[in-house]
Every structure is written in structure tokens, then in C-alpha cells.
Amino acid sequence: MPGICLWLAACDSPPDSAEFDVNTALGGVAASGFEQAIEPREFSFPDDHGMHPGFRNEWWYVTGNLAADDGRRFGYQVTFFRIALSPPAEAESSLSSHSSWSANQVWMAHIALTDIQGQQHFHDQRFARGAAGLAGQQDQPFRVWLEDWQLVGGRAAEFPWAVTAKGAGFSLNLQLMPEKPVVLQGENGLSRKSAGAGNASYYYSLTRLTTVGEVYLGGERFVVDGLSWLDREWSTSVLSEDQVGWDWFSLQLEDGNDLMFFQLRDASGQADENSAGKWVYAGGHAEKLGRRDVLLKPLRQWCDDEGSGVCYPVQWAVELPGWNLQWLVEAVVDDQLMQTGITYWEGAVQVSDANSGKLLGRGYLEMSGYE
């Protein structure tokens, strides 16, 4: 549950073009007429890798940590967002008499690369309407794309999937193959975000994908391998008025275990009761985690002194009392700010033992709602 995606369902004003103020417009229209995540459902694959147009918002979200042959390390993010402008029934009648350029879907994509050795973070974004072949999702073969940025699989979404994207000064060409089965987040895939009926998403993850390919940066080519993480969510409404921010962790440990945990924060900065996650064992079995199973404490901040002045915790004490685990989770580069239409912090982190300092794993962290 990338936290930025929660935000998409929290706004009210529909965008009227592919170039809109995402900070005030994303999230589409009111929930009326759309499907909502009310109760657990049966998931079916490969169908659920594809689009769910009855819901207002949807995303395909890939992050990962990679190493080149010479040991140079990188983090990366590739995310495709789909936002409906109106409910399907309303859209069908309104678009029937329009040209091929008419569309009911707006697509947004973010890509990023973190160069750990160079202590630099690069990112880019694109927008397009889902018309004239500019952006969309297809099943045969599986493909999600925005112009030439794409996530591609086989005819029935078979793996490996390919990620290809070229941004400003960097590009990614990667192959992804899952090591573990799909993990249904929350209650059998129903991830509740607040108390209101339907304030939830359908959410699944592939928490460990073997990754090989190439990274291009500043004219140099790096042959890389490592691990990636895929998150998929679709929803119509999620946040309540008293929820102001989130911290989302996806951590892959060297012993083969994985952890996803999101902390929703209220106006006082306290963790919301709907904060939740999953512990995914090396063998693939997953165990649900609640708010009190994962304790988070910010230790150090990085501040955007050249821009908004907003500060983000980039070092965290993470404790899992039931597992007797105490970790230090720290950004590999402090400034991994995504200054896109929506400004948020998203970047690669490393996990170490809080007592011995031993490196235990790597992952990704996303944060928003700080002021």
C-alpha cells in the first residue's frame, strides 16, 4: 500500500485534462457510481493483474534494490496510476459520440533511480489520457504502459515481466521473476484504511522478485541484479478526515523473510488503529500484523531546505516485540524526495540490527503528510 496511492482516493475534484494540478485534483470524482472495497473477494490470477475499471483508482507499483557487477548499488521505482474521471456507466454514454481522443481514464507514471555511491536521486513523471494508444492496460499480452514506459508480461501475464522506462538522464531495462507466491494483504486481500464503509482497497503483493537487467545513468551502462517488490491496489475511497499522513515500509531480509507495514497517522501524529502489515516467511506463508505488532520511532530527519522546508524521518527504530526484533531502518540517500505533481518522499533503505549494526536487508520507504 504505497502511501501516495492512499492520497489519490482522498480528493474530490475531477481533472479536466492530462495536465492538471495533482495536489488538488487527483482522485477523480465522488464515490457514487463506482464499486467499493466492502468485503473480502475471491482473487483470480492472471485476471487480477489487469485493470479493474469499476473502481476509481488503481496502481501497479514496483520498487527494488540492485547491484552492478562492480558493486555499485541502485534503488529504483516504477509506478503506473490509473484514475477514472467518471463512473463506467456514465462514461460509456458520454464517450459514445466522441472521437478516438476521448477517454474516461487519466494515467500518471513516476520513475526514479537512486545512485547510492553518487548520493544522488533522479526522478521523472508523465501524464496521458487513456486514448489513441497513449496509455492503458491490455491482457494479450499483458501490458501496462504510458507512452514508451511500460510493464510487460506474457500472453496470460506469465513471468518474467519486463520493466522499461527512460527518464531524464537515466533509464531502466529490467526482468522480474517472483520467488514467492502472491500475498493477499489485509483480510484476504481487503485492506481497511479507515472506519467508514468502503474506505478500503483490494491489495496484493509479490514481495520478492529476482531482478536482472541494465541501468543507464549519465551515459554509463550497468549490468545489475537484485530484488524487486510489486504492489497492486485498486479502490474508490480510503482515507477519513482525521488521517493526515502515512509511512509505508517494504523490507526484504537476507534470511528470506519480508515485511510490509504501513502506519497511518492522525492529526496528532499518532498511529491510527488501521495501521497494518504482513510478515512473509521465506517459504511464502504470510502472517497478518496489526498496529501494536510493529512499533515505529523516528530517530533522524532530513529537511527539504531548498524547497518546501518539510522534514521527513530518514532513520527509524523499528521493533517487532512478538518476534523479539529490533532494527534500524535508514535511508541510503537522505534526499530521495519525489518532486512530482504530488510531492512525497520515496526511496531505498537498508535494515540493520539495532544492537550489533549487522546489515540484515534492504527495502523501500514512502512517507507523506509531514509539514
Side-chain angles (χ1 to χ4, degrees):
M1 181 229 62
I4 187 64
C5 303
L6 280 181
W7 198 92
L8 296 184
C11 303
D12 298 319
S13 303
D16 58 9
S17 75
E19 296 181 1
F20 52 87
D21 179 3
V22 187
N23 279 315
T24 58
L26 267 179
V29 298
S32 177
F34 289 100
E35 297 179 48
Q36 288 185 288
I38 301 291
E39 57 187 8
R41 66 186 287 275
E42 290 292 328
F43 283 74
S44 176
F45 298 99
D47 293 350
D48 279 325
H49 292 316
M51 192 165 71
H52 301 79
F55 292 81
R56 190 170 64 173
N57 305 301
E58 187 162 13
W59 43 88
W60 293 255
Y61 187 97
V62 184
T63 56
N65 282 272
L66 308 169
D69 292 344
D70 63 0
R72 190 164 178 173
R73 302 199 65 90
F74 301 93
Y76 82 95
Q77 172 197 353
V78 176
T79 312
F80 295 91
F81 304 91
R82 177 192 64 80
I83 307 99
L85 304 181
S86 59
E90 180 182 322
E92 185 176 350
S93 60
S94 65
L95 294 178
S96 60
S97 61
H98 289 68
S99 74
S100 61
W101 286 95
S102 300
N104 183 48
Q105 309 290 339
V106 171
W107 289 79
M108 176 176 72
H110 293 173
I111 65 173
L113 181 70
T114 299
D115 173 16
I116 298 174
Q117 177 178 312
Q119 288 289 289
Q120 294 187 83
H121 179 250
F122 308 88
H123 62 277
D124 207 344
Q125 69 175 337
R126 288 182 181 176
F127 302 96
R129 282 184 176 267
L134 294 176
Q137 187 274 321
Q138 69 180 31
D139 294 328
Q140 298 292 338
F142 175 77
R143 182 179 177 227
V144 185
W145 79 95
L146 199 165
E147 298 173 349
D148 61 347
W149 294 3
Q150 58 182 359
L151 178 64
V152 181
R155 291 196 60 81
E158 298 98 340
F159 287 89
W161 287 5
V163 172
T164 56
K166 184 176 182 179
F170 70 97
S171 62
L172 304 165
N173 182 11
L174 305 170
Q175 300 280 325
L176 314 177
M177 178 65 75
E179 294 184 9
K180 296 181 181 182
V182 166
V183 173
L184 300 182
Q185 302 288 3
E187 180 187 351
N188 296 320
L190 178 69
S191 178
R192 302 183 189 276
K193 305 305 196 302
S194 58
N199 283 358
S201 67
Y202 291 118
Y203 179 9
Y204 73 84
S205 305
L206 285 166
T207 66
R208 188 169 289 242
L209 299 106
T210 299
T211 305
V212 297
E214 302 165 318
V215 167
Y216 294 84
L217 177 62
E220 291 188 72
R221 171 179 176 266
F222 300 91
V223 176
V224 295
D225 62 16
L227 291 175
S228 297
W229 180 297
L230 169 72
D231 260 10
R232 287 279 288 113
E233 273 190 275
W234 55 96
S235 65
T236 292
S237 60
V238 286
L239 295 180
S240 62
E241 293 183 357
D242 61 344
Q243 292 172 318
V244 300
W246 47 80
D247 310 297
W248 171 85
F249 296 78
S250 63
L251 307 177
Q252 297 160 320
L253 306 177
E254 293 185 351
D255 62 8
N257 296 312
D258 305 317
L259 171 72
M260 186 286 293
F261 189 79
F262 61 85
Q263 172 179 263
L264 299 166
R265 287 179 277 105
D266 62 23
S268 67
Q270 299 301 307
D272 185 273
E273 287 293 335
N274 292 281
S275 302
K278 281 283 176 79
W279 179 275
V280 186
Y281 292 94
H285 171 69
E287 186 170 339
K288 186 178 179 180
L289 301 170
R291 172 193 168 188
R292 292 167 181 79
D293 293 319
V294 180
L295 307 179
L296 304 174
K297 180 181 179 181
L299 298 179
R300 183 174 65 83
Q301 291 185 329
W302 169 82
C303 298
D304 180 23
D305 292 332
E306 297 181 359
S308 65
V310 174
C311 297
Y312 300 86
V314 292
Q315 184 185 66
W316 293 77
V318 178
E319 181 179 359
L320 284 76
W323 278 259
N324 194 30
L325 295 173
Q326 295 178 324
W327 298 338
L328 186 68
V329 176
E330 186 168 18
V332 295
V333 174
D334 282 0
D335 181 2
Q336 296 182 78
L337 192 64
M338 296 291 294
Q339 294 176 297
T340 58
I342 305 168
T343 298
Y344 59 106
W345 193 103
E346 171 111 32
V349 297
Q350 64 182 26
V351 186
S352 58
D353 184 271
N355 298 309
S356 69
K358 178 184 177 182
L359 181 66
L360 300 177
R362 301 180 187 277
Y364 251 71
L365 165 63
E366 182 185 275
M367 301 177 286
S368 190
Y370 289 91
E371 297 181 353

